[in-house]
Amino acid sequence: MSSDYAHRPVLLEECIQALNIRPDGTYIDGTLGRGGHSEQIAKRLTEGGRLICIDRDRQALEEGSARLAPWADHITFLHGNFGDLDQLLEEAGIPGVDGMLFDLGVSSPQLDDPERGFSYMHDAPLDMRMSRDDGLTAWIVVNQWPRDELRRILSQYGEERYASAIAGAIERARQLAPIETTGQLVEIIRSAMPAAALREKQHPAKRSFQGIRIAVNDELTAISRMMQSAIPRLNPGGRLAVISFHSLEDRIVKSEMAAAAKGCDCPPNFPVCVCGKKPQIKLVGRKPILPGQQELEENPRARSAKLRVAEKI
């Protein structure tokens, strides 16, 4: 994938349209990355507007702040995990906002930097941390987690059919010597898969790397926590836009939005509502927004992207 493709923000026009930006509003880009989405939000804000950019990767904040320097007067950069959204906004003194955007994909600079250990295409130390301040690395998961736990994350998070065989191969290999690099791990994964699987279009290690990365960064828990914090923080009429890249992420986003849009969670056989929960949001479109043909041709990374949008009542 060329760097031109990799650094293009996914569903950019659709996201900007979905946020329905008011020039004097307060907005959050909860996954700053290279700053492509943030730049387009910042351009639409006047003096009274404010943009909060969050990222757990300090390098992304440094590079993003350089790109966004022309609009620095109304941008606040926060280092942290979007799963801790409540705490981050509390500390920054921000009670409510008019829109939030979260792009749940791994940021391109992390994928592009072989040393970060996210890619199965480059040989690098087993790392995969989105924040280098975190203690848990892919090396620890691969070399120290029990075989059953490895099988679970490969199957559940990676949706890998051969999770059991791969976990067994990893366990046998690490008994001889620690698995140090992504290249070694790729070869172990290959060795555990049947010939037919190796002939598939998709790289044989893709699903396993996804599973390990999600475990290292505790991504799914962070998404649930973010969704539960984001909706109450929206001002009336404020929009929440979330881009997911695989079914596990999308399932969480979809179910959290559906629950907040429904309100009442009493059992269906109750004659009247006793929980007192009211709908907090309305869904903007029943189905997710998908990339158009032109974007798919220009940016292969967008292939599995889904954008879901909700508006605070």
Side-chain angles (χ1 to χ4, degrees):
M1 189 187 294
S2 84
S3 59
D4 282 350
Y5 288 153
H7 301 150
R8 193 165 295 172
V10 170
L11 289 162
L12 179 59
E13 283 166 31
E14 292 85 347
C15 286
I16 297 304
Q17 205 174 335
L19 286 172
N20 208 8
I21 295 167
R22 284 198 358 248
D24 61 347
T26 301
Y27 294 87
I28 291 174
D29 182 348
T31 43
L32 173 62
R34 269 277 162 93
H37 290 115
S38 275
E39 183 177 47
Q40 292 304 318
I41 298 169
K43 279 180 179 176
R44 288 162 171 79
L45 297 178
T46 55
E47 213 167 289
R50 191 173 181 193
L51 174 61
I52 319 298
C53 296
I54 301 170
D55 209 291
R56 62 197 293 184
D57 184 356
R58 291 183 191 278
Q59 191 180 336
L61 287 171
E62 282 169 24
E63 292 179 10
S65 58
R67 176 175 184 166
L68 298 168
W71 304 278
D73 288 354
H74 48 249
I75 299 181
T76 303
F77 294 94
L78 301 178
H79 175 245
N81 184 330
F82 62 60
D84 301 321
L85 186 66
D86 260 336
Q87 187 187 335
L88 288 166
L89 296 185
E90 205 69 51
E91 288 170 2
I94 300 156
V97 300
D98 301 299
M100 303 189 200
L101 171 65
F102 297 90
D103 174 349
L104 304 180
V106 183
S107 81
S108 300
Q110 292 171 339
L111 289 175
D112 294 345
D113 181 355
E115 288 307 303
R116 301 295 293 265
F118 284 100
S119 175
Y120 39 80
M121 306 300 281
H122 305 283
D123 195 21
L126 277 170
D127 192 329
M128 297 197 199
R129 288 173 297 172
M130 289 181 178
S131 168
R132 288 193 153 152
D133 297 340
D134 293 345
L136 183 64
T137 64
W139 189 97
I140 293 170
V141 170
V142 168
N143 287 289
Q144 296 180 356
W145 281 20
R147 175 179 174 167
D148 278 354
E149 188 62 4
L150 277 176
R151 183 195 56 73
R152 183 187 72 79
I153 65 167
L154 296 178
S155 172
Q156 194 177 326
Y157 299 162
E159 301 176 290
E160 173 53 72
R161 296 192 299 282
Y162 306 106
S164 205
I166 293 167
I170 289 171
E171 186 180 53
R172 289 190 296 277
R174 72 190 187 187
Q175 283 171 349
L176 302 173
I179 301 162
E180 300 289 353
T181 70
T182 52
Q184 286 174 271
L185 181 59
V186 167
E187 289 313 309
I188 293 162
I189 292 166
R190 279 185 195 277
S191 75
M193 295 174 86
L198 298 177
R199 288 195 294 271
E200 288 176 10
K201 192 176 173 187
Q202 190 166 269
H203 192 285
K206 182 178 180 181
R207 290 182 294 266
S208 294
F209 270 56
Q210 173 182 296
I212 295 166
R213 189 202 82 219
I214 288 173
V216 167
N217 297 288
D218 197 18
E219 291 173 39
L220 301 182
T221 309
I223 294 167
S224 290
R225 284 166 48 222
M226 173 273 284
M227 291 295 295
Q228 286 162 20
S229 300
I231 292 167
R233 291 270 179 181
L234 281 171
N235 295 329
R239 294 280 186 92
L240 172 62
V242 186
I243 306 171
S244 62
F245 285 85
H246 57 77
S247 58
L248 297 169
E249 294 172 341
D250 183 54
R251 206 174 300 151
I252 295 169
V253 175
K254 183 182 178 181
S255 68
E256 292 286 355
M257 282 188 177
K262 181 170 176 260
C264 171
D265 59 10
C266 293
N269 58 344
F270 275 33
V272 292
C273 171
V274 294
C275 74
K277 291 182 181 173
K278 298 275 187 275
Q280 299 179 67
I281 57 171
K282 62 180 182 185
L283 304 179
V284 179
R286 285 278 155 195
K287 292 189 173 173
I289 298 163
L290 306 177
Q293 194 54 44
Q294 187 179 343
E295 179 167 9
L296 291 173
E297 286 167 13
E298 292 173 356
N299 186 3
R301 181 176 172 256
R303 188 172 52 87
S304 56
K306 287 181 178 178
L307 170 64
R308 292 189 185 272
V309 186
E311 183 177 302
K312 187 72 176 282
I313 293 170

